[in-house]
Amino acid sequence: MALLQISEPGQSPDPHSHTPSRKLAAGIDLGTTHSLVAHVADGKPVLTAGEDGAPLLPSAVQYCADGTLTVGHQAQQNAISDPANTITSVKRLMGKSMADVDHSVHVTYQLITAESGMPLIRTCSGDVTPVEVSAEILKTLKRRSEAAQGGELQGVVITVPAYFDDAQRQATKDAARLAGLNVLRLLNEPTAAAVAYGLEKGSEGIHAIYDLGGGTFDISILRFSRGIFEVIATAGDTALGGDDFDRLIVDWISTQAGLAIATPSAALTAQLLSKARAAKEALSNQDAVTITIDLSNEKSDSTSWQGTLQRQTFDALIAPLIQRTLRACRRTLRDAAITTADVLEVVMVGGSTRVPRVRQMVGEFFAKQPMVDINPDQVVAIGAAIQADTLVGNKPDAEILLLDVTPLSLGLETMGGLVERLIPRNSTIPASRAQEFTTFKDGQTAMAIHVVQGERDLVDDCRSLARFELHNIPPMVAGAAKIRVTFQVDADGLLHVSAQEQTTGAYSAIDVKPSYGLAEAEIETMLRDSITYAEEDMESRRLKERQVDAQRLIEAIEAALDSDGDALLAPNERVVIESAIAALKQAISGDSHHAIKIATDTLEHDSADFAARRMDASIKKAMAGHTIDEFSNDSAAR
Amino acid sequence: MAAERVLTFNPASPFAMQSPLSANLTKNHFELFDIPITFDIDNEQLTARYRTLQRMFHPDRFAHTTPQEQRLSMQYSAQLNDAYQVLKKPLNRAEYLLTLYDVSNEGHTVTDGEFLMEQFELREQLMAIRKHDDGADQLVPFSTQIQQRLTTLMQQFSEQMRAKNLERAQLTLNRMQFVTRLLDEIEALEEELC
């Protein structure tokens, strides 16, 4: 990317100068160690810098006793003096139960187990969930982008590791909601990177995106062909990244210095981590680095320790971790049914790909020089910004389409603790699959459904996503009831489950809220309690949100009526929709968010059939079109 | 563990009335892409139409529209993905095609003694290769041989379907399933040996 701009807050052009039709959107890379926000201005992606002039925001949040908090560089600097209240690498905790958390990981803050089994972080201003901590990072980025763009964001694209499971994705979306962000899409990080590269280079063919960040690793194999990015296969490890390199250095220092690592003080741990990170970064440009550890505050014979870490030693330390990433690479190639020879280019993403040994081993594995043209820290945010600009509606004739996949298989528990797989891994999303189940006792009126995610055959070896029970099944003899359970994975990679009793048509649906996720009520409470919202009136905030949503709905439906109302609606049908619009307009001018909600629901309900007919009509038109030009765009290129 | 959620079947639920895309949801996979209902499809045509339709109806094209339209596009796009996966792979396509003709997939396998014997022998060969020192080298010609066997079966299936000989086609499909499973095992062994 030749001329990548970085805009300073407050330095943006006159906020009112942009055309009114242009909607403000942003792409957010919510990383383990760093986060970034970018947007598209004048057709070019721009990274937004913070007050310090740098686009990277350290993903660190410090909670202070007086209830205030700091986010970013300041918090990262305070991590050494106030390690217990400064939260770093919170992404590693997202969507996890306490049992999932890797306890070998050195954290400087205190984790406790909530009643729900979820981890909570104990700070001096109270216990906080990982979702809330992430929300604080998102709020900072939101403010940054809104200041730079001079207006409120209508929607954002937030990137997640491709290998994030349903619970981790849901947690990310919950954090966005807490931050007051409208999520247009959760986008997989390697796919975002491919967008940034693809638009720049326009090279058709198969690409491997090797994404090693601070705490997560992804490998995605994509085919870029005639404007469509198609992810063929993806694999990864959501608990492997540069943080682990740092920890290996910490362990090395501890051994060399003869420190008892069983119970290092929080301050020493923080110091070791910080020195280790600095050493790792230095070794990207030099062959050896001298490390000095201040032990004056520790129960130690000496007041400091000094040693030299050779790059060769470091390379040997991290080699097993790189091998782990290469095993995942091998698996994706197999899943994609290709060999390294089929891969045109290997794109390196994530700060940890700066480590020379990583580049070397990946290059040897794929037998080609990896591409590092775009700053590996920034490429994901750039891709996200480009996609956000498209999704928010600024580019109606966008020529690029992303087809992504679900990284892990989704299934149900069946008799004997076995998994019945409904949606296999690497299925293109959105995906939908249905399966019929029946009762096994006479008169059975309820059924338990256990949703799991993973590749193993036994339920116990997979991730439990959700359990729910179906009730009110009409009593029948065993085996007579036909319950059709449908799994639907949306374009964010989130699972929705619905069930229908086929003989009576009774229907039930659930958005899968992971077993280790936040309940709807908890999010509501957090929204109410959250710091920014406390500053303004919750009621008026909600009223405004509802008004904006309602206005958007009215505009969309009026536009639809203009173009298709005459063709697709009988006069009496049109009247029903028009009066629902009138009722909603009336409600908007009032001050009851409740009334707006009711009128919005009514309008959505009354126009549902119209929406379906429009979709049917445009599909019919598309099908008719191919007989004339035989889908010219796609077939002509052959 | 979070408390279990309880769902109740509710005939009056707003979801119960969902009737979007009724015309398209009842279409079979071939009709969805407007291609002839046959085993011998034009793969390039299928892919071209899949891509054109996704380009127009993928949820990304509807991210800024009403919630209803977003849901409709998600359902339709998911249906396109599912249908494309089935039609793209010959074995899945064959299985699906026979379900359209309402041919039961059960009760045929046991009678096919000769074929089962052959499969048994091929599997023994595979076991022998596994134990052999230069198994990896022997695996390549073996794999090619089985691949050719599958190709021949697919040709047979295609002819039988054209002749509308559904019973024979069903039998051939069963054989295709067997051979495909053997190929999966060969692939697994390939990984093991490499």
Side-chain angles (χ1 to χ4, degrees):
Chain A
M1 192 132 308
L3 286 170
L4 188 66
Q5 296 175 40
I6 297 178
S7 79
E8 310 282 344
Q11 187 202 311
S12 65
D14 177 6
H16 304 291
S17 67
H18 55 72
T19 49
S21 63
R22 187 162 181 86
K23 298 171 187 157
L24 300 186
I28 293 175
D29 175 2
L30 185 61
T32 307
T33 46
H34 292 101
S35 299
L36 295 99
V37 62
H39 64 271
V40 171
D42 302 322
K44 286 246 185 292
V46 186
L47 290 161
T48 314
E51 282 149 8
D52 55 358
L56 282 183
L57 175 77
S59 300
V61 180
Q62 182 192 14
Y63 287 83
C64 308
D66 61 2
T68 61
L69 45 82
T70 54
V71 180
H73 283 289
Q74 191 59 49
Q76 194 184 36
Q77 276 162 22
N78 294 348
I80 293 177
S81 58
D82 187 18
N85 298 302
T86 308
I87 324 300
T88 53
S89 296
V90 74
K91 189 172 177 179
R92 289 197 161 209
L93 302 175
M94 292 288 274
K96 297 223 165 154
S97 72
M98 200 57 182
D100 297 331
V101 175
D102 181 359
H103 289 283
S104 68
V105 164
H106 307 245
V107 287
T108 58
Y109 39 88
Q110 190 192 351
L111 288 177
I112 58 165
T113 311
E115 219 173 290
S116 60
M118 281 171 49
L120 281 177
I121 301 150
R122 180 142 284 175
T123 77
C124 59
S125 71
D127 295 343
V128 291
T129 62
V131 169
E132 288 168 287
V133 178
S134 295
E136 294 304 334
I137 299 165
L138 288 172
K139 281 181 202 169
T140 304
L141 296 172
K142 176 176 189 262
R143 277 196 297 272
R144 208 182 249 198
S145 186
E146 289 183 341
Q149 297 197 65
E152 234 176 281
L153 291 178
Q154 298 226 21
V156 293
V157 166
I158 300 179
T159 59
V160 290
Y163 214 57
F164 251 21
D165 67 21
D166 189 81
Q168 293 167 304
R169 285 168 197 269
Q170 189 62 56
T172 305
K173 222 174 168 182
D174 288 343
R177 203 171 143 210
L178 278 183
L181 289 166
N182 171 34
V183 179
L184 296 163
R185 189 69 74 234
L186 295 179
L187 180 62
N188 289 333
E189 287 161 8
T191 313
V195 170
Y197 263 93
L199 294 184
E200 185 74 4
K201 306 227 134 201
S203 50
E204 303 237 321
I206 293 176
H207 301 251
I209 316 287
Y210 181 100
D211 181 356
L212 188 61
T216 59
F217 167 67
D218 282 324
I219 173 76
S220 282
I221 309 287
L222 292 98
R223 184 185 291 120
F224 181 38
S225 164
R226 298 189 303 276
I228 296 186
F229 283 96
E230 193 182 355
V231 179
I232 316 173
T234 193
D237 190 330
T238 59
L240 174 62
D243 279 8
D244 298 291
F245 294 180
D246 300 346
R247 290 195 189 97
L248 288 171
I249 298 178
V250 167
D251 292 347
W252 179 84
I253 297 172
S254 301
T255 312
Q256 297 293 310
L259 303 169
I261 51 164
T263 51
S265 70
L268 179 59
T269 303
Q271 189 200 166
L272 287 170
L273 280 173
S274 149
K275 295 280 169 69
R277 197 177 309 127
K280 173 187 71 180
E281 285 165 11
L283 286 177
S284 289
N285 301 310
Q286 58 203 56
D287 292 336
V289 62
T290 304
I291 304 169
T292 310
I293 303 295
D294 176 7
L295 297 172
S296 55
N297 295 321
E298 303 297 316
K299 287 181 207 140
S300 170
D301 300 338
S302 50
T303 55
S304 72
W305 172 86
Q306 194 174 66
T308 301
L309 177 59
Q310 303 287 335
R311 188 198 278 179
Q312 219 173 346
T313 312
F314 174 61
D315 287 352
L317 286 176
I318 61 171
L321 294 183
I322 307 174
Q323 282 298 348
R324 243 166 85 190
T325 69
L326 296 181
R327 272 201 293 279
C329 291
R330 211 166 286 132
R331 199 191 89 177
T332 4
L333 290 171
R334 212 158 53 222
D335 282 354
I338 60 165
T339 66
T340 52
D342 299 315
V343 177
L344 191 70
E345 282 167 337
V346 184
V347 174
M348 300 298 258
V349 182
S352 304
T353 60
R354 285 209 175 81
V355 174
R357 184 72 179 149
V358 171
R359 287 189 184 177
Q360 187 198 340
M361 285 177 76
V362 171
E364 282 166 10
F365 178 84
F366 285 99
K368 48 187 67 75
Q369 194 67 31
M371 300 221 317
V372 289
D373 303 20
I374 307 184
N375 183 326
D377 290 323
Q378 303 177 345
V379 61
V380 167
I382 291 166
I386 293 168
Q387 189 64 0
D389 188 47
T390 306
L391 294 185
V392 82
N394 286 337
K395 276 195 277 180
D397 301 316
E399 63 284 18
I400 299 288
L401 180 68
L402 307 183
L403 293 175
D404 220 314
V405 298
T406 177
L408 296 155
S409 301
L410 291 157
L412 285 173
E413 174 170 358
T414 60
M415 301 289 262
L418 295 176
V419 178
E420 170 86 34
R421 227 162 266 152
L422 260 72
I423 297 185
R425 72 162 184 262
N426 292 325
S427 294
T428 308
I429 54 173
S432 166
R433 210 61 54 84
Q435 183 108 330
E436 243 169 49
F437 295 88
T438 189
T439 48
F440 64 99
K441 272 190 199 152
D442 287 345
Q444 184 181 341
T445 58
M447 183 181 271
I449 290 183
H450 184 200
V451 183
V452 297
Q453 185 161 34
E455 308 312 316
R456 310 283 293 275
D457 292 328
L458 291 178
V459 166
D460 290 346
D461 298 331
C462 288
R463 181 90 206 265
S464 168
L465 279 187
R467 294 169 184 274
F468 58 94
E469 288 182 356
L470 287 170
H471 286 260
N472 287 12
I473 299 171
M476 288 181 237
V477 292
K482 283 189 180 147
I483 293 140
R484 193 178 170 81
V485 177
T486 305
F487 274 33
Q488 203 154 43
V489 181
D490 66 19
D492 292 328
L494 290 169
L495 177 66
H496 309 265
V497 178
S498 61
Q500 188 162 30
E501 206 294 300
Q502 298 291 88
T503 52
T504 61
Y507 188 87
S508 181
I510 184 173
D511 286 343
V512 172
K513 274 281 177 174
S515 302
Y516 297 111
L518 295 174
E520 184 60 24
E522 288 176 280
I523 298 175
E524 282 284 319
T525 312
M526 287 175 186
L527 273 174
R528 212 164 295 131
D529 298 348
S530 76
I531 293 155
T532 44
Y533 286 96
E535 290 161 3
E536 46 193 320
D537 181 8
M538 186 71 191
E539 288 290 301
S540 67
R541 169 96 197 175
R542 174 157 298 172
L543 175 66
K544 200 182 145 218
E545 275 174 7
R546 290 261 157 88
Q547 282 170 334
V548 169
D549 287 349
Q551 197 56 48
R552 207 178 292 161
L553 183 68
I554 290 172
E555 278 166 23
I557 293 179
E558 280 181 339
L561 281 175
D562 276 348
S563 56
D564 297 321
D566 293 339
L568 299 176
L569 291 172
N572 60 326
E573 291 172 323
R574 188 176 184 136
V575 168
V576 172
I577 297 177
E578 279 170 346
S579 57
I581 292 177
L584 181 54
K585 281 181 174 166
Q586 180 98 40
I588 291 177
S589 61
D591 57 4
S592 160
H593 66 74
H594 194 62
I596 298 175
K597 173 87 173 92
I598 291 171
T600 301
D601 288 350
T602 307
L603 177 57
E604 281 194 12
H605 173 266
D606 288 347
S607 60
D609 244 17
F610 178 46
R613 279 184 221 172
R614 288 189 70 215
M615 186 70 98
D616 272 346
S618 53
I619 291 168
K620 206 175 285 172
K621 203 170 143 199
M623 299 308 292
H626 73 73
T627 54
I628 300 163
D629 60 16
E630 199 46 55
F631 286 36
S632 56
N633 291 347
D634 276 315
S635 40
R638 288 170 191 281
Chain B
M1 173 66 61
E4 285 189 9
R5 279 170 295 268
V6 171
L7 286 174
T8 299
F9 275 122
N10 174 15
S13 141
F15 289 101
M17 298 182 310
Q18 56 172 254
S19 57
L21 290 173
S22 46
N24 287 291
L25 285 175
T26 55
K27 277 186 181 168
N28 74 41
H29 292 346
F30 294 94
E31 290 165 351
L32 203 58
F33 296 109
D34 197 17
I35 59 174
I37 303 179
T38 166
F39 181 69
D40 311 295
I41 59 167
D42 176 347
N43 264 313
E44 293 206 352
Q45 186 187 43
L46 170 72
T47 300
R49 290 195 183 168
Y50 165 76
R51 293 169 65 102
T52 305
L53 290 172
Q54 280 295 15
R55 208 186 271 278
M56 294 172 75
F57 298 104
H58 189 274
D60 281 1
R61 294 284 177 263
F62 294 81
H64 60 287
T65 64
T66 65
Q68 301 153 344
E69 288 184 296
Q70 289 181 26
R71 201 178 58 235
L72 291 172
S73 91
M74 181 191 48
Q75 288 170 344
Y76 183 62
S77 175
Q79 203 186 349
L80 290 173
N81 281 331
D82 190 27
Y84 181 57
Q85 279 310 314
V86 169
L87 295 187
K88 200 168 58 168
K89 298 189 183 126
L91 182 69
N92 295 355
R93 185 166 69 238
E95 287 168 351
Y96 180 74
L97 195 57
L98 281 180
T99 64
L100 290 183
Y101 285 102
D102 219 14
V103 178
S104 158
N105 194 9
E106 280 141 41
H108 291 278
T109 40
V110 277
T111 56
D112 202 358
E114 193 190 329
F115 177 74
L116 284 180
M117 190 54 80
E118 183 203 336
Q119 285 302 300
F120 186 71
E121 281 163 11
L122 288 172
R123 240 156 257 254
E124 296 227 303
Q125 273 189 44
L126 187 61
M127 299 277 256
I129 291 174
R130 181 192 300 266
K131 286 178 195 140
H132 209 277
D133 288 341
D134 57 352
D137 294 333
Q138 293 186 16
L139 205 54
V140 180
F142 186 67
S143 173
T144 314
Q145 179 200 334
I146 305 300
Q147 196 67 56
Q148 278 162 359
R149 184 92 176 81
L150 183 63
T151 310
T152 312
L153 283 170
M154 282 178 0
Q155 280 160 2
Q156 278 175 20
F157 182 85
S158 157
E159 283 159 24
Q160 288 154 354
M161 285 308 291
R162 276 194 303 246
K164 287 282 180 289
N165 191 343
L166 299 180
E167 294 255 320
R168 296 295 309 170
Q170 176 65 57
L171 211 58
T172 309
L173 173 60
N174 290 339
R175 293 179 169 195
M176 284 162 66
Q177 288 163 334
F178 256 105
V179 174
T180 306
R181 242 167 285 155
L182 184 61
L183 280 172
D184 288 345
E185 282 168 41
I186 292 173
E187 201 177 307
L189 183 58
E190 248 165 20
E191 272 158 38
E192 205 177 296
L193 295 178
C194 289

